[in-house]
Amino acid sequence: MLLQIDSEWHGCTVQQVLRRYLGLSSGMLRHVKYLDQGILCNGEHVTVRHVLQAGDVLSVLTEDRQEEQKVRPVQLPLSILYEDSEVVVPDKPAFMPTHPSHDHYDDTVANALAFRYAPSPFVFRPINRLDRNTSGALLIARNRMSAAYLCRAMQAHEIRKQYIAVLDGVLHQDEGTVETHLRRTAQSIIVREVCSADDGDYALTHFRVLRRSETHTVVLAEPVTGRTHQLRVHFAHLGCPITGDDLYGTPSPLIGRHALHAQTLSFPHPVTHEVMTLSAPLHADMERLIAQCFDTKDGSLCTI
């Protein structure tokens, strides 16, 4: 990573720039300063106490090492919405897990990205996660420093995610907020339920209705918190589970998965700090579902 020092950072130490500008933790600083060529100023090795001048070029080693790679590269189809040296945002297809787990060691987004960036080593650093059957935009950091910055941005609610969901039933509110606490059920390590404030994690969702029929509703949903299955539990809690959700609703003959798509993702870029907004178009199965449920020629949602 290269940083051009301007007048704002003139007279600051390397440590001040890396802590304030990139948001690096003390542990991250210790890691990078002991690497060969870890921190360079104008091509020369410097310590974190080095005082920078306007016009200097600060170089920080962010590349992963081969021994850190844990994911097997596998050639899999994966559309990319955006990528550079710091982040990559794939448009995850439904039925593809985000990361390897039991029975899914070589069919995940992580495997596909490891193949894409081979032969360079690749460490999978997802900033948000999507359920296996949820499609759409997924934010991945491409190095340790970008991951640290984006995790801090996530904690500060500077990363926004908006989803399109098709619901069974009719939501009569045009817009609203769902505010609950969630916990695992006693019977399952997967299924979540609404509970009292003393027993679970706070969960907040905003939503706006885009379309209604006599049997279904389409909503634009924005989870402020990021709890497991949050949108799925919240809409089931309102009495309108996501169409096709076999955990919190019922399977649907109209779609082979729960009808949830991560459409829009906004985040501050780890280096430029520019707010980036990326959109993933609805996938074909959800377009077909919307066309069938609302008796239209296609499933496009031009109101979004």
Side-chain angles (χ1 to χ4, degrees), residues 35-216:
L35 296 175
D36 290 338
Q37 310 295 304
I39 302 175
L40 304 177
C41 182
N42 302 323
E44 300 292 332
H45 182 269
V46 294
T47 71
V48 294
R49 295 184 298 276
H50 177 78
V51 177
L52 297 163
Q53 307 295 316
D56 284 346
V57 176
L58 182 65
S59 171
V60 184
L61 186 64
T62 60
E63 289 79 8
D64 292 313
R65 295 171 293 181
Q66 193 66 49
E67 60 268 24
E68 294 179 305
Q69 179 161 325
K70 306 294 184 184
V71 179
R72 187 166 74 90
V74 181
Q75 187 172 11
L76 300 168
L78 185 67
S79 297
I80 302 297
L81 299 172
Y82 176 84
E83 67 181 332
D84 61 20
S85 60
E86 307 305 317
V87 298
V88 57
V89 181
D91 180 1
K92 189 185 88 63
F95 310 113
M96 177 181 279
T98 298
H99 52 80
S101 60
H102 181 65
D103 290 337
H104 293 283
Y105 299 109
D106 57 6
D107 61 347
T108 72
V109 172
N111 298 113
L113 291 177
F115 182 88
R116 183 179 184 86
Y117 298 123
S120 299
F122 175 76
V123 177
F124 188 57
R125 295 186 172 97
I127 305 304
N128 67 313
R129 288 175 170 82
L130 298 178
D131 294 340
R132 176 176 174 267
N133 288 350
T134 302
S135 56
L138 182 64
L139 179 58
I140 313 294
R142 290 194 59 189
N143 58 64
R144 191 188 305 264
M145 294 184 186
S146 291
Y149 177 87
L150 290 169
C151 285
R152 289 173 183 264
M154 181 73 82
Q155 292 168 357
H157 301 291
E158 295 172 350
I159 297 177
R160 295 184 61 190
K161 299 159 289 180
Q162 292 184 319
Y163 293 74
I164 297 295
V166 182
L167 311 179
D168 287 336
V170 181
L171 273 183
H172 295 287
Q173 294 173 262
D174 290 337
E175 57 185 35
T177 295
V178 190
E179 191 173 14
T180 70
H181 287 75
L182 302 180
R183 67 180 179 190
R184 290 177 178 174
T185 63
Q187 297 79 23
S188 172
I189 63 171
I190 298 174
V191 181
R192 266 58 177 178
E193 65 183 359
V194 172
C195 63
S196 68
D198 295 333
D199 293 333
D201 297 318
Y202 178 70
L204 177 66
T205 299
H206 302 305
F207 69 87
R208 176 165 58 89
V209 171
L210 300 178
R211 282 187 182 178
R212 292 187 186 90
S213 72
E214 294 181 354
T215 57
H216 292 82

